[in-house]
Amino acid sequence: MATEVLPDSRALRIGRRDRALAEMDKHGLDILVLGRQANIRYVTGAPQLWIAGTRPFGPMCVLVRSTGDIYLNSTDDEGVPEEIDHDHLYGLAWNPMTLIDVLKKVDGADAARRVGTDAITPTFAALLPDAFPNAELVDAEPAMRAARRIKTADEIATMDSALRIAEHGLATAVSQLAPGVSEQTLAGVMMEAMAAGGVSTPATQDAAWVTSRERPWHRGQASAQPGDLVAFAAGALANGYVAEVGRTWQVGDFDARALFERSNTLYDNMLAACRPGVSIRELLAAYEAAGEPIPPMPIAHGLGLGFDPPVVSETLVAAGEDDQLEAGMVLAITGYVWQQGVGAVFRRDTVHITEVGVDVLTHSPSWLES
């Protein structure tokens, strides 16, 4: 088994970097100082090690707009792309002043007028002006979000690989559904199948659960029984990218066709709303048009190197959040319908917004199609 850490493909990383540089130009940023792992990988194409868990902001990557030069925090060159020079790598340091000394040596640090960071701590807010004495420090997250929200063709291909692994995990778990099987067993089967496909990091916490027959948006008992509807949510984090799929299957022979047909109606409405130039409010309106209550959780969210904008929920829209869908976005859209005494049908699909409409990337069948 190969264990070498390799950078992302050249086409993938160059395409992303060009988008980041274009957004730096639009936002008037001379230099980017990045600390968030997804942004670092987006710009560099380097899968970094030893990054598990939470950590405060640190200047782990620098991108210079005028030259395209990258400075990267790395203790060696494993997984570092060829276009990042060895003399542009710098090691870990406990003393923040050591990192500031590194930033002072970045070409163009003295001349920079606007330096953007994707996060900041009080310590580095006080220290970064020493590295960039003539620059205004500004929030670079809007620029990075603008770059990341539109996916390149190479990103779509990479996400497709992650999605196929997630779908394999879902199908394997569904094949083990039977009366008496526990949620934990189904989750274990799903995780094992995805691990066999090369993904040991699931993208979502929940994998399988029995839907409640008494209350919407709640779980039922911990093991599947005849007459239950069991929801499956598979998400894979592969090569930095997240892809998700969700389906519901019934246990035993009973008539839940009407509920699945309601789910299909809602799904068709949501797909119809996935068009460039359409407000995210239309995804909420898809529930209203189908006569279904809007769930308290998000009904859609962007996918990419983690979770990208937009996040679509009734609460956020009521608070004034608004956005428009654009060609190139990839979303996970979620449908949820419930009936007293029967349970819920949960469905999640990964979709790509195109110039002419929507391309559904998930291939998993629903119960009605089985």
Side-chain angles (χ1 to χ4, degrees):
M1 179 181 293
T3 58
E4 184 181 4
V5 178
L6 299 174
D8 296 331
S9 71
R10 180 174 180 83
L12 178 60
R13 62 182 189 263
I14 296 301
R16 294 184 311 210
R17 196 175 304 148
D18 286 346
R19 285 197 54 80
L21 289 168
E23 290 301 330
M24 287 179 70
D25 186 60
K26 288 181 183 178
H27 288 78
L29 301 176
D30 299 311
I31 291 177
L32 272 181
V33 181
L34 303 174
R36 293 182 174 175
Q37 179 55 34
N39 287 339
I40 293 171
R41 184 156 185 176
Y42 188 88
V43 165
T44 67
Q48 293 184 296
L49 302 177
W50 312 113
I51 56 170
T54 58
R55 54 193 172 93
F57 169 83
M60 299 294 102
C61 173
V62 178
L63 176 62
V64 181
R65 185 184 71 183
S66 61
T67 62
D69 283 352
I70 295 172
Y71 297 76
L72 179 64
N73 181 266
S74 182
T75 55
D76 59 37
D77 61 359
E78 186 174 20
V80 175
E82 60 187 3
E83 65 269 17
I84 301 179
D85 294 335
H86 279 227
D87 61 359
H88 285 188
L89 302 180
Y90 56 98
L92 294 169
W94 291 108
N95 186 343
M97 291 307 301
T98 302
L99 296 175
I100 293 300
D101 287 340
V102 170
L103 299 184
K104 287 180 180 179
K105 298 172 184 175
V106 168
D107 291 339
D110 286 340
R113 291 293 181 265
R114 278 170 59 87
V115 173
T117 69
D118 59 352
I120 200 70
T121 60
T123 296
F124 280 104
L127 294 178
L128 283 178
D130 291 341
F132 309 106
N134 298 305
E136 173 191 9
L137 293 180
V138 299
D139 182 10
E141 189 61 20
M144 288 306 303
R145 288 184 180 182
R148 288 174 51 182
R149 67 193 270 127
I150 306 301
K151 305 300 183 290
T152 68
D154 293 287
E155 286 186 282
I156 299 297
T158 303
M159 294 180 72
D160 188 70
S161 298
L163 187 54
R164 299 289 83 81
I165 293 171
E167 290 193 307
H168 173 64
L170 185 145
T172 305
V174 168
S175 72
Q176 299 301 306
L177 182 60
V181 67
S182 69
E183 295 176 350
Q184 291 84 350
T185 297
L186 294 172
V189 168
M190 182 184 294
M191 296 302 106
E192 181 181 34
M194 290 200 299
V199 171
S200 59
T201 306
T204 56
Q205 181 175 356
D206 287 323
W209 65 96
V210 178
T211 66
S212 172
R213 305 186 201 185
E214 287 74 39
R215 294 186 296 172
W217 309 309
H218 284 74
R219 294 174 178 269
Q221 68 279 355
S223 61
Q225 303 299 326
D228 281 335
L229 292 175
V230 179
F232 296 85
L237 175 59
N239 298 314
Y241 282 86
V242 169
E244 297 183 27
V245 58
R247 293 292 186 267
T248 299
W249 230 257
Q250 69 177 49
V251 184
D253 185 15
F254 66 100
D255 188 8
R257 178 173 295 274
L259 193 60
F260 278 93
E261 289 176 347
R262 283 169 51 192
S263 174
N264 285 349
T265 298
L266 173 60
Y267 170 70
D268 290 341
N269 288 354
M270 295 189 78
L271 282 187
C274 292
R275 306 188 312 277
V278 170
S279 168
I280 60 172
R281 296 173 183 266
E282 292 301 312
L283 288 165
L284 295 170
Y287 270 82
E288 296 171 353
E292 304 292 348
I294 298 173
M297 67 286 289
I299 62 167
H301 57 269
L303 294 176
L305 285 167
F307 298 104
D308 288 336
V311 176
V312 184
S313 75
E314 189 174 38
T315 301
L316 289 175
V317 169
E321 181 74 16
D322 198 7
D323 201 347
Q324 283 193 337
L325 301 181
E326 297 181 60
M329 283 183 169
V330 175
L331 303 178
I333 60 172
T334 301
Y336 186 99
V337 299
W338 179 82
Q339 183 177 331
Q340 178 77 37
V342 179
V345 174
F346 161 86
R347 176 168 183 161
R348 178 169 292 156
D349 285 274
T350 296
V351 302
H352 175 212
I353 311 297
T354 71
E355 294 286 355
V356 295
V358 61
D359 182 16
V360 180
L361 302 182
T362 40
H363 298 158
S364 296
S366 69
W367 175 79
L368 278 181
E369 300 165 338
S370 62

